[in-house]
Amino acid sequence: MTESNPFPDGSPTVVKDVIESARTFRLRMAVIDHKYEVALDTTRYSFGRTVHAGAAAAARAGRDEAAVEAYATHLAPHAENLLDAARHALDELPPARHLAGWRAVLDGLSATTAEIRRALDRPTASPSAERAWPRPSS
C-alpha cells in the first residue's frame, strides 16, 4: 500500500485547516455537552427525574442551537473534504468483505450532510415562530 495524501486535491494547508477545524469542533462539542449537562442537572432531583420541564426544554434547545452553530462553523465547511478523504482511505485498503459496508456508511453520511446543508441554508423562522421558552443564560 502506498502512502498518499488522504485529501486527493488538498494542499498541506487545506489538510491542516481541516484537521484543526475537526479538533476545534470536537473540543467545542465537549464544552457544549458539559455546559448543558450542568444546566439539565439543575432541572432534576436526586433520582434523575426532571422536575422543571420548562427549564429542561430551554436547556435542550440551547444545547441543540449551540451544537448546530458549532457544526456550521467548524465542520460543515470541510464535510466534503472529510468524506472524500474517507473514501480515498477505503480505496487504498486491500479488498475485504467489510469495505462495502463502510462505503454504504459513507454514502449515508454524504446524504445526511447534504440534508443538513439544505437545512442550514434555509432562512430562519420569524421571531413570532420562535420557541416559546427562554434560552439559558451563558
Side-chain angles (χ1 to χ4, degrees):
M1 184 160 79
T2 61
E3 283 215 26
S4 62
N5 186 345
F7 298 93
D9 297 325
S11 69
T13 304
V14 170
V15 173
K16 184 179 176 184
D17 289 347
V18 170
I19 291 169
E20 183 60 28
S21 288
R23 180 181 168 278
T24 302
F25 174 74
R26 183 178 52 87
L27 292 172
R28 181 68 187 124
M29 290 303 295
V31 169
I32 290 167
D33 180 57
H34 177 72
K35 176 182 177 180
Y36 288 99
E37 265 314 304
V38 168
L40 285 169
D41 283 347
T42 64
T43 68
R44 301 177 186 129
Y45 76 100
S46 59
F47 296 107
R49 182 169 168 239
T50 299
V51 293
H52 302 291
R60 283 189 206 96
R63 177 199 58 204
D64 294 349
E65 194 170 307
V68 167
E69 182 180 323
Y71 175 83
T73 301
H74 301 292
L75 210 53
H78 305 290
E80 288 305 318
N81 283 338
L82 291 167
L83 288 166
D84 289 345
R87 283 188 186 96
H88 179 73
L90 283 178
D91 291 343
E92 295 289 315
L93 294 174
R97 289 185 323 214
H98 68 279
L99 294 181
W102 283 111
R103 283 188 178 86
V105 168
L106 289 177
D107 290 344
L109 286 172
S110 183
T112 301
T113 299
E115 184 61 32
I116 291 170
R117 187 175 301 110
R118 282 190 291 276
L120 291 174
D121 289 343
R122 284 187 207 129
T124 58
S126 66
S128 61
E130 289 184 13
R131 294 178 187 101
W133 51 79
R135 297 174 81 190
S137 59
S138 297

